[in-house]
Amino acid sequence: MTLNFQILMAFVGCGMVSYMMFHILLRHEHKEAERALITKDKKILKTVKKDLKSAPMNVQNVLMSKWVAFGGGFYGVMALMTYMVVEFYEVVDFLTSEYGFWETISALGIRDLISFFINSLMNFITAIVWPVYWLKNIHGYSAWVWFVVVYLGYLTGQAIAKYRHV
């Protein structure tokens, strides 16, 4: 994969996650969530977190609760994107192990499920400290170039979501 393609994928990936989160935010029935993430009002944010925990479980509420847990905004988008990337690579590694797909699935046991849970928690911690993860895993361009590219992707996704919501 060429470096320019990686930069393009960083922009598109961050833009897509940003669009998805802002689209969900703007469609969410709890309008306080939008105000809390924009103003960073900790009292309102705490109320939103509590409301999301008691809300019915659906994809929209789960994504909103994760994004709000990560603090929303750019940091939240990058944390969510980092979590998705790390989990994706681990699922691919798991499914492409030296055994076949069905042998791997049929050999799963309680120990594996506990390991998945612990691994998911570790990936959550990795997502929280996403700058450290990405500084270790980016190559070629300066870290500032990558930061500007993903921030522009974040702004683009947010702008498209707001434009489509109007």
Side-chain angles (χ1 to χ4, degrees):
M1 201 168 6
T2 69
L3 203 50
N4 290 334
F5 182 72
Q6 289 175 344
I7 286 281
L8 177 64
M9 290 308 298
F11 174 82
V12 170
C14 191
M16 286 175 32
V17 171
S18 176
Y19 170 79
M20 177 181 64
M21 295 315 300
F22 277 96
H23 178 72
I24 289 170
L25 173 67
L26 294 171
R27 290 187 57 217
H28 202 268
E29 65 272 359
H30 196 317
K31 291 299 175 189
E32 289 294 307
E34 183 177 1
R35 196 174 94 195
L37 292 175
I38 291 170
T39 64
K40 302 293 185 200
D41 186 329
K42 292 187 188 292
K43 184 178 178 184
I44 298 171
L45 202 56
K46 190 179 278 190
T47 304
V48 170
K49 285 180 186 180
K50 183 180 172 188
D51 291 348
L52 285 170
K53 283 184 181 178
S54 63
M57 190 165 194
N58 60 34
V59 174
Q60 181 180 10
N61 288 339
V62 169
L63 285 172
M64 275 298 296
S65 69
K66 293 299 177 211
W67 192 34
V68 169
F70 284 133
F74 177 67
Y75 199 92
V77 166
M78 286 303 297
L80 185 60
M81 188 172 89
T82 303
Y83 185 77
M84 291 183 337
V85 166
V86 171
E87 285 288 324
F88 172 78
Y89 283 128
E90 288 191 358
V91 167
V92 168
D93 285 346
F94 173 74
L95 295 177
T96 59
S97 66
E98 68 257 9
Y99 305 110
F101 175 75
W102 292 113
E103 290 88 10
T104 302
I105 297 297
S106 64
L108 286 177
I110 296 295
R111 181 179 294 166
D112 296 318
L113 294 177
I114 293 169
S115 177
F116 285 145
F117 176 74
I118 292 170
N119 209 4
S120 186
L121 281 174
M122 296 305 292
N123 292 342
F124 180 78
I125 292 168
T126 299
I128 289 172
V129 294
W130 64 263
V132 174
Y133 173 82
W134 289 110
L135 285 173
K136 283 189 204 173
N137 290 296
I138 59 173
H139 307 289
Y141 292 114
S142 166
W144 287 106
V145 172
W146 288 97
F147 177 79
V148 168
V149 166
V150 294
Y151 193 74
L152 288 173
Y154 162 77
L155 292 175
T156 302
Q158 179 182 1
I160 293 170
K162 287 180 179 177
Y163 175 77
R164 293 205 52 200
H165 184 67
V166 174

